[in-house]
Amino acid sequence: MQAKIKEKTPFRVASANKLYAKMATDSDVYEYGIDTNGNIYFAYLNGIIKRYSRRSFIQMSRS
């Protein structure tokens, strides 16, 4: 799966952009971005890949 978008600000919501930047700069993340299905993903060094839909990522950033 290839990353489609790797932007600094992929969202219109400021809190979602802050959370995206914070999670992307985590020392355990080796790859991140938005996949071809539009899901946000973070691949960690321990082999876990966490995927979020845009809606759930924004809701997570607001809570």
CSV table of all heavy atoms in Angstrom, one decimal:
chain,number,residue,atom,x,y,z
A,1,MET,N,0.8,-1.2,0.0
A,1,MET,CA,0.0,0.0,0.0
A,1,MET,C,0.9,1.2,0.0
A,1,MET,O,1.8,1.3,0.8
A,1,MET,CB,-0.9,0.0,1.2
A,1,MET,CG,-1.8,1.1,1.3
A,1,MET,SD,-2.9,1.1,2.8
A,1,MET,CE,-3.4,-0.6,2.8
A,2,GLN,N,0.6,2.2,-0.9
A,2,GLN,CA,1.4,3.4,-1.0
A,2,GLN,C,0.7,4.5,-0.3
A,2,GLN,O,-0.5,4.6,-0.3
A,2,GLN,CB,1.7,3.7,-2.4
A,2,GLN,CG,2.5,2.7,-3.1
A,2,GLN,CD,2.8,3.1,-4.5
A,2,GLN,OE1,2.1,4.0,-5.1
A,2,GLN,NE2,3.8,2.5,-5.2
A,3,ALA,N,1.5,5.4,0.2
A,3,ALA,CA,0.9,6.6,0.8
A,3,ALA,C,0.6,7.6,-0.3
A,3,ALA,O,1.3,7.8,-1.2
A,3,ALA,CB,1.9,7.3,1.8
A,4,LYS,N,-0.6,8.1,-0.2
A,4,LYS,CA,-1.1,9.0,-1.2
A,4,LYS,C,-0.7,10.4,-0.9
A,4,LYS,O,-0.3,11.2,-1.7
A,4,LYS,CB,-2.6,8.9,-1.4
A,4,LYS,CG,-3.2,9.8,-2.5
A,4,LYS,CD,-4.7,9.4,-2.7
A,4,LYS,CE,-5.5,9.9,-1.6
A,4,LYS,NZ,-6.9,9.8,-1.8
A,5,ILE,N,-0.9,10.8,0.4
A,5,ILE,CA,-0.6,12.2,0.8
A,5,ILE,C,0.3,12.1,2.1
A,5,ILE,O,0.1,11.3,3.0
A,5,ILE,CB,-1.9,12.9,1.2
A,5,ILE,CG1,-2.9,12.9,0.0
A,5,ILE,CG2,-1.7,14.3,1.8
A,5,ILE,CD1,-4.2,13.5,0.3
A,6,LYS,N,1.3,13.0,2.1
A,6,LYS,CA,2.1,13.1,3.3
A,6,LYS,C,2.3,14.6,3.5
A,6,LYS,O,3.3,15.2,3.1
A,6,LYS,CB,3.5,12.5,3.1
A,6,LYS,CG,3.9,11.7,4.3
A,6,LYS,CD,5.3,11.1,4.0
A,6,LYS,CE,5.3,9.8,4.7
A,6,LYS,NZ,6.6,9.1,4.7
A,7,GLU,N,1.3,15.3,4.0
A,7,GLU,CA,1.3,16.7,4.2
A,7,GLU,C,1.5,17.1,5.6
A,7,GLU,O,1.3,16.2,6.5
A,7,GLU,CB,-0.1,17.3,3.7
A,7,GLU,CG,-0.4,17.1,2.3
A,7,GLU,CD,-1.7,17.7,1.9
A,7,GLU,OE1,-2.3,18.4,2.7
A,7,GLU,OE2,-2.1,17.5,0.8
A,8,LYS,N,1.8,18.3,5.9
A,8,LYS,CA,1.9,18.8,7.2
A,8,LYS,C,0.5,19.1,7.8
A,8,LYS,O,0.3,18.9,9.0
A,8,LYS,CB,2.8,20.0,7.3
A,8,LYS,CG,4.2,19.8,7.1
A,8,LYS,CD,5.0,21.0,7.3
A,8,LYS,CE,6.5,20.7,7.1
A,8,LYS,NZ,7.3,21.9,7.3
A,9,THR,N,-0.4,19.6,7.0
A,9,THR,CA,-1.7,19.9,7.4
A,9,THR,C,-2.8,19.3,6.5
A,9,THR,O,-3.3,19.9,5.6
A,9,THR,CB,-1.9,21.4,7.5
A,9,THR,OG1,-1.6,21.9,6.2
A,9,THR,CG2,-1.0,22.1,8.5
A,10,PRO,N,-3.0,18.0,6.7
A,10,PRO,CA,-4.0,17.3,5.8
A,10,PRO,C,-5.5,17.6,6.2
A,10,PRO,O,-6.4,17.2,5.5
A,10,PRO,CB,-3.7,15.9,5.9
A,10,PRO,CG,-3.1,15.7,7.3
A,10,PRO,CD,-2.4,17.0,7.5
A,11,PHE,N,-5.7,18.3,7.3
A,11,PHE,CA,-7.1,18.5,7.8
A,11,PHE,C,-7.4,20.0,7.9
A,11,PHE,O,-6.5,20.8,7.9
A,11,PHE,CB,-7.2,17.9,9.2
A,11,PHE,CG,-7.0,16.5,9.3
A,11,PHE,CD1,-5.8,16.0,9.8
A,11,PHE,CD2,-7.9,15.5,9.0
A,11,PHE,CE1,-5.5,14.6,9.9
A,11,PHE,CE2,-7.7,14.2,9.1
A,11,PHE,CZ,-6.5,13.7,9.5
A,12,ARG,N,-8.7,20.3,7.9
A,12,ARG,CA,-9.1,21.7,8.1
A,12,ARG,C,-9.3,22.0,9.5
A,12,ARG,O,-9.3,23.2,9.9
A,12,ARG,CB,-10.5,21.9,7.4
A,12,ARG,CG,-10.3,22.0,5.9
A,12,ARG,CD,-11.6,22.3,5.3
A,12,ARG,NE,-12.0,21.1,4.5
A,12,ARG,CZ,-13.3,20.9,4.2
A,12,ARG,NH1,-14.2,21.7,4.4
A,12,ARG,NH2,-13.5,19.8,3.5
A,13,VAL,N,-9.3,21.0,10.4
A,13,VAL,CA,-9.5,21.2,11.8
A,13,VAL,C,-8.1,21.3,12.5
A,13,VAL,O,-7.3,20.4,12.3
A,13,VAL,CB,-10.3,20.0,12.4
A,13,VAL,CG1,-10.4,20.1,13.9
A,13,VAL,CG2,-11.6,19.8,11.7
A,14,ALA,N,-7.9,22.3,13.2
A,14,ALA,CA,-6.6,22.6,13.8
A,14,ALA,C,-6.2,21.5,14.8
A,14,ALA,O,-5.0,21.1,14.8
A,14,ALA,CB,-6.6,24.0,14.5
A,15,SER,N,-7.1,21.1,15.6
A,15,SER,CA,-6.7,20.1,16.6
A,15,SER,C,-6.3,18.7,16.0
A,15,SER,O,-5.5,18.0,16.4
A,15,SER,CB,-7.9,19.8,17.6
A,15,SER,OG,-9.1,19.3,16.9
A,16,ALA,N,-6.9,18.4,14.8
A,16,ALA,CA,-6.6,17.2,14.1
A,16,ALA,C,-5.2,17.3,13.5
A,16,ALA,O,-4.4,16.4,13.5
A,16,ALA,CB,-7.6,16.9,13.0
A,17,ASN,N,-4.8,18.5,13.0
A,17,ASN,CA,-3.5,18.8,12.5
A,17,ASN,C,-2.4,18.7,13.6
A,17,ASN,O,-1.3,18.1,13.3
A,17,ASN,CB,-3.4,20.1,11.8
A,17,ASN,CG,-4.1,20.1,10.4
A,17,ASN,OD1,-4.1,19.1,9.7
A,17,ASN,ND2,-4.7,21.2,10.1
A,18,LYS,N,-2.7,19.2,14.8
A,18,LYS,CA,-1.8,19.1,15.9
A,18,LYS,C,-1.6,17.6,16.3
A,18,LYS,O,-0.4,17.2,16.5
A,18,LYS,CB,-2.3,19.9,17.1
A,18,LYS,CG,-2.2,21.3,16.9
A,18,LYS,CD,-2.7,22.1,18.1
A,18,LYS,CE,-2.8,23.6,17.9
A,18,LYS,NZ,-3.3,24.3,19.1
A,19,LEU,N,-2.6,16.8,16.4
A,19,LEU,CA,-2.5,15.4,16.7
A,19,LEU,C,-1.8,14.7,15.7
A,19,LEU,O,-0.9,13.8,16.0
A,19,LEU,CB,-3.9,14.8,17.0
A,19,LEU,CG,-3.9,13.3,17.4
A,19,LEU,CD1,-3.2,13.1,18.7
A,19,LEU,CD2,-5.3,12.8,17.5
A,20,TYR,N,-2.0,15.0,14.4
A,20,TYR,CA,-1.3,14.3,13.3
A,20,TYR,C,0.2,14.6,13.4
A,20,TYR,O,1.0,13.7,13.2
A,20,TYR,CB,-1.9,14.8,12.0
A,20,TYR,CG,-1.3,14.2,10.7
A,20,TYR,CD1,-1.7,12.9,10.3
A,20,TYR,CD2,-0.4,14.8,9.9
A,20,TYR,CE1,-1.2,12.3,9.2
A,20,TYR,CE2,0.1,14.2,8.8
A,20,TYR,CZ,-0.3,13.0,8.4
A,20,TYR,OH,0.2,12.4,7.3
A,21,ALA,N,0.5,15.8,13.6
A,21,ALA,CA,2.0,16.2,13.7
A,21,ALA,C,2.6,15.5,14.9
A,21,ALA,O,3.8,15.1,14.8
A,21,ALA,CB,2.1,17.7,13.8
A,22,LYS,N,1.9,15.5,16.0
A,22,LYS,CA,2.4,14.9,17.2
A,22,LYS,C,2.6,13.4,17.0
A,22,LYS,O,3.7,12.9,17.4
A,22,LYS,CB,1.5,15.1,18.4
A,22,LYS,CG,1.9,14.5,19.7
A,22,LYS,CD,0.9,14.7,20.8
A,22,LYS,CE,1.4,14.0,22.1
A,22,LYS,NZ,0.4,14.0,23.1
A,23,MET,N,1.7,12.7,16.5
A,23,MET,CA,1.8,11.3,16.2
A,23,MET,C,2.9,11.0,15.2
A,23,MET,O,3.6,9.9,15.2
A,23,MET,CB,0.5,10.7,15.9
A,23,MET,CG,-0.5,10.7,17.0
A,23,MET,SD,-2.1,10.0,16.6
A,23,MET,CE,-1.7,8.2,16.5
A,24,ALA,N,3.0,11.8,14.2
A,24,ALA,CA,4.0,11.6,13.1
A,24,ALA,C,5.4,11.8,13.6
A,24,ALA,O,6.4,11.1,13.1
A,24,ALA,CB,3.8,12.6,12.0
A,25,THR,N,5.6,12.6,14.6
A,25,THR,CA,7.0,12.8,15.2
A,25,THR,C,7.4,11.9,16.3
A,25,THR,O,8.4,12.0,16.9
A,25,THR,CB,7.2,14.3,15.6
A,25,THR,OG1,6.2,14.6,16.6
A,25,THR,CG2,7.0,15.2,14.5
A,26,ASP,N,6.5,10.9,16.6
A,26,ASP,CA,6.8,9.9,17.6
A,26,ASP,C,8.0,9.1,17.2
A,26,ASP,O,8.2,8.8,16.0
A,26,ASP,CB,5.6,9.0,17.8
A,26,ASP,CG,5.7,8.0,18.9
A,26,ASP,OD1,6.7,8.1,19.7
A,26,ASP,OD2,4.9,7.1,19.0
A,27,SER,N,8.9,8.8,18.1
A,27,SER,CA,10.2,8.2,17.7
A,27,SER,C,9.9,6.7,17.3
A,27,SER,O,10.8,6.2,16.6
A,27,SER,CB,11.1,8.2,18.9
A,27,SER,OG,10.6,7.5,20.0
A,28,ASP,N,8.8,6.1,17.6
A,28,ASP,CA,8.6,4.7,17.2
A,28,ASP,C,7.9,4.6,15.8
A,28,ASP,O,7.8,3.5,15.3
A,28,ASP,CB,7.7,4.0,18.2
A,28,ASP,CG,8.4,3.8,19.6
A,28,ASP,OD1,9.6,3.8,19.6
A,28,ASP,OD2,7.7,3.7,20.6
A,29,VAL,N,7.5,5.7,15.3
A,29,VAL,CA,6.8,5.7,13.9
A,29,VAL,C,7.9,5.8,12.9
A,29,VAL,O,8.7,6.7,12.8
A,29,VAL,CB,5.8,6.9,13.8
A,29,VAL,CG1,5.3,7.0,12.4
A,29,VAL,CG2,4.7,6.8,14.8
A,30,TYR,N,7.8,4.8,11.9
A,30,TYR,CA,8.8,4.9,10.8
A,30,TYR,C,8.1,5.2,9.5
A,30,TYR,O,8.8,5.6,8.6
A,30,TYR,CB,9.5,3.5,10.7
A,30,TYR,CG,8.7,2.4,10.1
A,30,TYR,CD1,8.6,2.1,8.8
A,30,TYR,CD2,8.1,1.5,11.0
A,30,TYR,CE1,7.9,1.1,8.3
A,30,TYR,CE2,7.3,0.5,10.5
A,30,TYR,CZ,7.3,0.2,9.2
A,30,TYR,OH,6.5,-0.8,8.7
A,31,GLU,N,6.8,5.2,9.5
A,31,GLU,CA,6.1,5.6,8.2
A,31,GLU,C,4.7,6.0,8.6
A,31,GLU,O,4.0,5.4,9.5
A,31,GLU,CB,6.0,4.4,7.3
A,31,GLU,CG,5.4,4.8,5.9
A,31,GLU,CD,5.4,3.6,5.0
A,31,GLU,OE1,5.9,2.6,5.2
A,31,GLU,OE2,4.7,3.8,3.9
A,32,TYR,N,4.2,7.0,8.0
A,32,TYR,CA,2.9,7.6,8.2
A,32,TYR,C,2.3,8.2,7.0
A,32,TYR,O,3.1,8.5,6.1
A,32,TYR,CB,2.9,8.6,9.4
A,32,TYR,CG,3.7,9.8,9.1
A,32,TYR,CD1,3.1,10.9,8.6
A,32,TYR,CD2,5.1,9.9,9.3
A,32,TYR,CE1,3.8,12.1,8.3
A,32,TYR,CE2,5.8,11.0,9.0
A,32,TYR,CZ,5.1,12.1,8.5
A,32,TYR,OH,5.8,13.2,8.2
A,33,GLY,N,1.1,8.5,7.0
A,33,GLY,CA,0.5,9.2,5.8
A,33,GLY,C,-1.0,8.8,5.7
A,33,GLY,O,-1.6,8.3,6.6
A,34,ILE,N,-1.5,9.1,4.5
A,34,ILE,CA,-2.9,8.8,4.1
A,34,ILE,C,-2.8,7.8,3.0
A,34,ILE,O,-2.2,8.0,1.9
A,34,ILE,CB,-3.6,10.0,3.7
A,34,ILE,CG1,-3.6,11.0,4.9
A,34,ILE,CG2,-5.1,9.7,3.3
A,34,ILE,CD1,-4.2,12.3,4.7
A,35,ASP,N,-3.4,6.6,3.2
A,35,ASP,CA,-3.3,5.6,2.2
A,35,ASP,C,-4.3,5.8,1.0
A,35,ASP,O,-5.0,6.8,1.0
A,35,ASP,CB,-3.5,4.2,2.8
A,35,ASP,CG,-4.9,4.0,3.4
A,35,ASP,OD1,-5.8,4.8,3.2
A,35,ASP,OD2,-5.1,3.0,4.1
A,36,THR,N,-4.3,4.9,0.1
A,36,THR,CA,-5.2,5.1,-1.1
A,36,THR,C,-6.7,5.0,-0.8
A,36,THR,O,-7.5,5.5,-1.7
A,36,THR,CB,-4.8,4.0,-2.2
A,36,THR,OG1,-5.0,2.7,-1.6
A,36,THR,CG2,-3.4,4.2,-2.7
A,37,ASN,N,-7.0,4.5,0.3
A,37,ASN,CA,-8.5,4.4,0.7
A,37,ASN,C,-8.9,5.7,1.5
A,37,ASN,O,-10.0,5.8,1.9
A,37,ASN,CB,-8.7,3.2,1.5
A,37,ASN,CG,-8.5,1.9,0.7
A,37,ASN,OD1,-8.7,1.9,-0.5
A,37,ASN,ND2,-8.1,0.9,1.4
A,38,GLY,N,-8.0,6.6,1.8
A,38,GLY,CA,-8.3,7.8,2.5
A,38,GLY,C,-8.1,7.6,4.0
A,38,GLY,O,-8.5,8.5,4.7
A,39,ASN,N,-7.6,6.5,4.5
A,39,ASN,CA,-7.4,6.3,5.9
A,39,ASN,C,-6.0,6.8,6.3
A,39,ASN,O,-5.1,6.7,5.6
A,39,ASN,CB,-7.5,4.8,6.2
A,39,ASN,CG,-8.9,4.3,6.0
A,39,ASN,OD1,-9.9,4.9,6.3
A,39,ASN,ND2,-9.0,3.0,5.6
A,40,ILE,N,-6.0,7.4,7.5
A,40,ILE,CA,-4.7,7.8,8.1
A,40,ILE,C,-4.1,6.6,8.7
A,40,ILE,O,-4.7,5.9,9.4
A,40,ILE,CB,-5.0,8.9,9.1
A,40,ILE,CG1,-5.5,10.2,8.5
A,40,ILE,CG2,-3.7,9.3,9.9
A,40,ILE,CD1,-7.0,10.3,8.4
A,41,TYR,N,-2.8,6.4,8.5
A,41,TYR,CA,-2.1,5.3,9.1
A,41,TYR,C,-0.8,5.7,9.7
A,41,TYR,O,-0.1,6.7,9.3
A,41,TYR,CB,-1.9,4.2,8.1
A,41,TYR,CG,-0.8,4.4,7.1
A,41,TYR,CD1,0.5,4.0,7.3
A,41,TYR,CD2,-1.1,5.1,5.9
A,41,TYR,CE1,1.4,4.3,6.3
A,41,TYR,CE2,-0.2,5.4,5.0
A,41,TYR,CZ,1.1,5.0,5.2
A,41,TYR,OH,2.1,5.2,4.3
A,42,PHE,N,-0.4,5.0,10.8
A,42,PHE,CA,0.9,5.1,11.4
A,42,PHE,C,1.5,3.7,11.6
A,42,PHE,O,0.9,2.9,12.2
A,42,PHE,CB,0.8,5.8,12.8
A,42,PHE,CG,0.2,7.2,12.7
A,42,PHE,CD1,-1.1,7.5,12.8
A,42,PHE,CD2,1.1,8.3,12.4
A,42,PHE,CE1,-1.6,8.7,12.7
A,42,PHE,CE2,0.6,9.6,12.3
A,42,PHE,CZ,-0.8,9.8,12.5
A,43,ALA,N,2.7,3.5,11.0
A,43,ALA,CA,3.3,2.2,11.1
A,43,ALA,C,4.4,2.4,12.2
A,43,ALA,O,5.3,3.2,12.1
A,43,ALA,CB,3.9,1.8,9.8
A,44,TYR,N,4.4,1.5,13.2
A,44,TYR,CA,5.3,1.6,14.3
A,44,TYR,C,6.4,0.5,14.1
A,44,TYR,O,6.3,-0.4,13.4
A,44,TYR,CB,4.6,1.3,15.6
A,44,TYR,CG,3.6,2.5,16.0
A,44,TYR,CD1,2.3,2.4,15.6
A,44,TYR,CD2,4.1,3.6,16.7
A,44,TYR,CE1,1.4,3.4,15.9
A,44,TYR,CE2,3.2,4.6,17.0
A,44,TYR,CZ,1.9,4.5,16.6
A,44,TYR,OH,1.1,5.6,16.9
A,45,LEU,N,7.5,0.7,14.8
A,45,LEU,CA,8.7,-0.1,14.7
A,45,LEU,C,8.4,-1.6,15.2
A,45,LEU,O,9.1,-2.5,14.7
A,45,LEU,CB,9.9,0.4,15.5
A,45,LEU,CG,10.5,1.7,14.9
A,45,LEU,CD1,11.5,2.3,15.8
A,45,LEU,CD2,11.1,1.5,13.5
A,46,ASN,N,7.5,-1.7,16.1
A,46,ASN,CA,7.2,-3.1,16.6
A,46,ASN,C,6.2,-3.9,15.7
A,46,ASN,O,5.8,-4.9,16.0
A,46,ASN,CB,6.6,-3.0,18.0
A,46,ASN,CG,5.3,-2.2,18.1
A,46,ASN,OD1,4.8,-1.7,17.1
A,46,ASN,ND2,4.7,-2.1,19.3
A,47,GLY,N,5.9,-3.3,14.5
A,47,GLY,CA,5.2,-4.1,13.5
A,47,GLY,C,3.7,-3.7,13.5
A,47,GLY,O,2.9,-4.2,12.7
A,48,ILE,N,3.2,-2.9,14.4
A,48,ILE,CA,1.8,-2.6,14.5
A,48,ILE,C,1.5,-1.4,13.6
A,48,ILE,O,2.3,-0.4,13.6
A,48,ILE,CB,1.4,-2.2,16.0
A,48,ILE,CG1,1.6,-3.4,16.9
A,48,ILE,CG2,0.0,-1.7,16.0
A,48,ILE,CD1,1.3,-3.2,18.3
A,49,ILE,N,0.5,-1.5,12.8
A,49,ILE,CA,0.0,-0.4,11.9
A,49,ILE,C,-1.4,0.0,12.4
A,49,ILE,O,-2.3,-0.8,12.4
A,49,ILE,CB,0.0,-0.9,10.5
A,49,ILE,CG1,1.3,-1.3,10.0
A,49,ILE,CG2,-0.6,0.2,9.6
A,49,ILE,CD1,1.4,-1.9,8.6
A,50,LYS,N,-1.5,1.2,12.8
A,50,LYS,CA,-2.8,1.7,13.3
A,50,LYS,C,-3.4,2.6,12.2
A,50,LYS,O,-2.8,3.5,11.6
A,50,LYS,CB,-2.6,2.6,14.5
A,50,LYS,CG,-2.2,1.7,15.7
A,50,LYS,CD,-2.2,2.6,17.0
A,50,LYS,CE,-1.8,1.7,18.2
A,50,LYS,NZ,-1.9,2.4,19.4
A,51,ARG,N,-4.6,2.3,11.8
A,51,ARG,CA,-5.4,3.0,10.8
A,51,ARG,C,-6.6,3.7,11.4
A,51,ARG,O,-7.2,3.1,12.3
A,51,ARG,CB,-5.8,2.0,9.7
A,51,ARG,CG,-4.7,1.5,8.9
A,51,ARG,CD,-5.3,0.6,7.8
A,51,ARG,NE,-4.6,-0.1,6.8
A,51,ARG,CZ,-3.3,-0.2,6.7
A,51,ARG,NH1,-2.5,0.2,7.7
A,51,ARG,NH2,-2.7,-0.9,5.8
A,52,TYR,N,-6.8,4.9,10.9
A,52,TYR,CA,-8.0,5.6,11.4
A,52,TYR,C,-8.7,6.2,10.2
A,52,TYR,O,-8.1,6.7,9.2
A,52,TYR,CB,-7.6,6.8,12.3
A,52,TYR,CG,-6.7,6.4,13.4
A,52,TYR,CD1,-5.3,6.5,13.4
A,52,TYR,CD2,-7.2,6.0,14.6
A,52,TYR,CE1,-4.5,6.2,14.4
A,52,TYR,CE2,-6.4,5.6,15.7
A,52,TYR,CZ,-5.1,5.7,15.6
A,52,TYR,OH,-4.3,5.4,16.7
A,53,SER,N,-10.0,6.2,10.2
A,53,SER,CA,-10.8,6.9,9.2
A,53,SER,C,-10.6,8.4,9.5
A,53,SER,O,-10.3,8.8,10.6
A,53,SER,CB,-12.2,6.5,9.2
A,53,SER,OG,-12.9,7.0,10.4
A,54,ARG,N,-10.8,9.3,8.5
A,54,ARG,CA,-10.7,10.7,8.8
A,54,ARG,C,-11.6,11.2,9.9
A,54,ARG,O,-11.3,12.0,10.7
A,54,ARG,CB,-11.0,11.5,7.5
A,54,ARG,CG,-9.9,11.2,6.4
A,54,ARG,CD,-10.1,12.1,5.2
A,54,ARG,NE,-10.0,13.5,5.4
A,54,ARG,CZ,-8.9,14.1,5.4
A,54,ARG,NH1,-7.7,13.5,5.2
A,54,ARG,NH2,-8.8,15.4,5.5
A,55,ARG,N,-12.9,10.7,9.8
A,55,ARG,CA,-13.9,11.1,10.8
A,55,ARG,C,-13.5,10.7,12.2
A,55,ARG,O,-13.5,11.5,13.2
A,55,ARG,CB,-15.2,10.5,10.5
A,55,ARG,CG,-16.3,10.8,11.5
A,55,ARG,CD,-17.6,10.3,11.0
A,55,ARG,NE,-18.0,10.9,9.8
A,55,ARG,CZ,-19.2,11.3,9.5
A,55,ARG,NH1,-20.2,11.0,10.4
A,55,ARG,NH2,-19.5,11.9,8.4
A,56,SER,N,-13.0,9.4,12.4
A,56,SER,CA,-12.6,9.0,13.7
A,56,SER,C,-11.4,9.7,14.2
A,56,SER,O,-11.2,9.9,15.4
A,56,SER,CB,-12.4,7.5,13.7
A,56,SER,OG,-11.3,7.1,13.0
A,57,PHE,N,-10.5,10.0,13.3
A,57,PHE,CA,-9.2,10.8,13.7
A,57,PHE,C,-9.6,12.2,14.2
A,57,PHE,O,-9.1,12.6,15.2
A,57,PHE,CB,-8.3,10.8,12.5
A,57,PHE,CG,-6.9,11.3,12.9
A,57,PHE,CD1,-6.0,10.3,13.5
A,57,PHE,CD2,-6.5,12.6,12.8
A,57,PHE,CE1,-4.7,10.7,13.9
A,57,PHE,CE2,-5.2,13.0,13.2
A,57,PHE,CZ,-4.3,12.0,13.7
A,58,ILE,N,-10.5,12.8,13.5
A,58,ILE,CA,-10.9,14.1,14.0
A,58,ILE,C,-11.7,14.1,15.3
A,58,ILE,O,-11.5,14.9,16.2
A,58,ILE,CB,-11.8,14.8,12.9
A,58,ILE,CG1,-11.0,15.2,11.7
A,58,ILE,CG2,-12.5,16.1,13.4
A,58,ILE,CD1,-11.7,15.6,10.5
A,59,GLN,N,-12.5,13.1,15.5
A,59,GLN,CA,-13.2,12.9,16.7
A,59,GLN,C,-12.2,12.6,17.9
A,59,GLN,O,-12.4,13.1,19.0
A,59,GLN,CB,-14.3,11.8,16.6
A,59,GLN,CG,-15.5,12.1,15.8
A,59,GLN,CD,-16.4,11.0,15.7
A,59,GLN,OE1,-16.1,9.9,16.0
A,59,GLN,NE2,-17.6,11.3,15.1
A,60,MET,N,-11.2,11.8,17.6
A,60,MET,CA,-10.2,11.5,18.6
A,60,MET,C,-9.4,12.7,19.0
A,60,MET,O,-9.1,12.9,20.1
A,60,MET,CB,-9.3,10.4,18.0
A,60,MET,CG,-8.2,9.9,19.0
A,60,MET,SD,-7.2,8.6,18.4
A,60,MET,CE,-6.4,9.3,17.0
A,61,SER,N,-9.2,13.6,18.0
A,61,SER,CA,-8.4,14.8,18.3
A,61,SER,C,-9.2,15.8,19.1
A,61,SER,O,-8.6,16.6,19.9
A,61,SER,CB,-7.9,15.5,17.0
A,61,SER,OG,-9.0,16.1,16.3
A,62,ARG,N,-10.5,15.8,19.0
A,62,ARG,CA,-11.3,16.7,19.8
A,62,ARG,C,-11.6,16.3,21.2
A,62,ARG,O,-12.0,17.1,22.0
A,62,ARG,CB,-12.7,16.9,19.0
A,62,ARG,CG,-12.5,17.7,17.8
A,62,ARG,CD,-13.8,17.9,17.1
A,62,ARG,NE,-13.6,18.8,16.0
A,62,ARG,CZ,-14.5,19.0,15.0
A,62,ARG,NH1,-15.7,18.3,15.1
A,62,ARG,NH2,-14.3,19.8,14.0
A,63,SER,N,-11.4,15.0,21.5
A,63,SER,CA,-11.7,14.5,22.9
A,63,SER,C,-10.5,14.6,23.7
A,63,SER,O,-9.4,14.9,23.4
A,63,SER,CB,-12.2,13.1,22.8
A,63,SER,OG,-11.2,12.2,22.3
